[in-house]
Amino acid sequence: MEFERLVNASGPTGGKILSPQSAISPKSIAFIQCVGSRDKRYNEYCCRVGCMATLKQAILVREKLGKEVNIFICMIDMRAFGKGYEEFYRRARDLDVNFISGIPSEVRQDSSRSLYFEVYDKGINKLLEIKTDLLVLANGIEPNIDLEKAGELFHFSRSADGFALEAHPKLRPLECATAGIFLAGACQGPKDIPDTVAQASGAAAKVIDLLASGELN
């Protein structure tokens, strides 16, 4: 989200991509995926939006800064599962974005204040050292801190990861076991915008059906 703000025309740099440390245009940018996601120490689930958000940002960097900048994406794997997502992934590869099949364990800073890290690339079976001027972390998604209070207030259950629990994942995915409580968006789990809009439309239809029944007990 910080990088989204940085490249926005209304952001602190007027849309210019600048390193926060040196305030100069970076010659190398690295994206690290699954920070706090798919990890037994933090969140075991996928954030669902990290891969596509990073691909979009990498393409944007290439379009803004040109071919001179080196772009690296360190990942466990690429989950381009939606409509048109695979084509978007191929577009990033065609723009000479470097994909590394591995996640670094530690990021260090040298005397010139440049960042560097070591990462083992499973694709080529080599340990690489990457130096970068700007590092972007794809953080995991966690439930809102107020969801616990809402669950206590409205008496709906939550799953082990803290999100609101649906009555049935296949037969009743839009409502809680508690009557009159409907689900839409990331309160149920990590979701992208298309899935959130579709679920919100379905939940609204459920509410209309409930109100159309007349008297509520």
Side-chain angles (χ1 to χ4, degrees), residues 36-46 140-142 161:
S37 297
R38 302 173 66 184
D39 191 328
K40 291 183 178 181
R41 297 172 299 172
Y42 305 105
N43 301 318
E44 295 189 23
Y45 52 87
C46 172
I141 293 179
E142 296 182 342
D161 50 25

Side-chain angles (χ1 to χ4, degrees), residues 32-200:
I32 298 180
Q33 300 296 92
C34 301
V35 177
S37 297
R38 302 173 66 184
D39 191 328
K40 291 183 178 181
R41 297 172 299 172
Y42 305 105
N43 301 318
E44 295 189 23
Y45 52 87
C46 172
C47 75
R48 293 196 62 179
V49 301
C51 288
M52 300 313 299
T54 294
L55 287 178
K56 181 192 72 171
Q57 292 170 350
I59 291 173
L60 186 61
V61 168
R62 179 64 75 208
E63 292 175 346
K64 281 200 168 191
L65 299 183
K67 296 182 179 180
E68 290 74 20
V69 63
N70 292 318
I71 305 173
F72 302 93
I73 296 180
C74 300
M75 61 182 185
I76 298 175
D77 50 41
M78 184 57 62
R79 297 192 168 184
F81 60 89
K83 183 179 180 181
Y85 287 5
E86 184 65 25
E87 291 77 5
F88 201 67
Y89 177 33
R90 291 177 183 174
R91 180 185 173 192
R93 298 186 74 94
D94 291 340
L95 291 174
D96 293 330
V97 174
N98 300 292
F99 291 89
I100 300 174
S101 297
I103 300 295
S105 59
E106 184 179 5
V107 178
R108 302 181 181 91
Q109 189 178 58
D110 60 20
S111 57
S112 63
R113 302 189 69 185
S114 292
L115 302 174
Y116 70 96
F117 57 85
E118 295 178 344
V119 56
Y120 186 81
D121 191 338
K122 295 179 293 183
I124 58 175
N125 291 323
K126 287 185 178 181
L127 182 65
L128 306 176
E129 182 177 277
I130 306 297
K131 293 185 178 180
T132 181
D133 301 318
L134 181 61
L135 190 65
V136 184
L137 307 180
N139 295 320
I141 293 179
E142 296 182 342
N144 192 294
I145 192 172
D146 293 329
L147 196 59
E148 181 179 0
K149 297 179 181 179
E152 295 174 354
L153 181 63
F154 294 103
H155 305 290
F156 63 82
S157 301
R158 297 190 301 146
S159 57
D161 50 25
F163 292 96
L165 184 64
E166 66 278 0
H168 192 282
K170 294 183 179 179
L171 303 179
R172 297 174 61 191
L174 303 176
E175 53 192 304
C176 294
T178 304
I181 305 295
F182 301 93
L183 302 172
C187 68
Q188 186 187 15
K191 287 182 177 64
D192 58 9
I193 294 175
D195 286 346
T196 298
V197 172
Q199 189 180 28

Side-chain angles (χ1 to χ4, degrees), residues 4-16 64:
E4 287 280 347
R5 180 64 176 161
L6 184 67
V7 299
N8 193 287
S10 62
T13 61
K16 296 181 180 179
K64 281 200 168 191

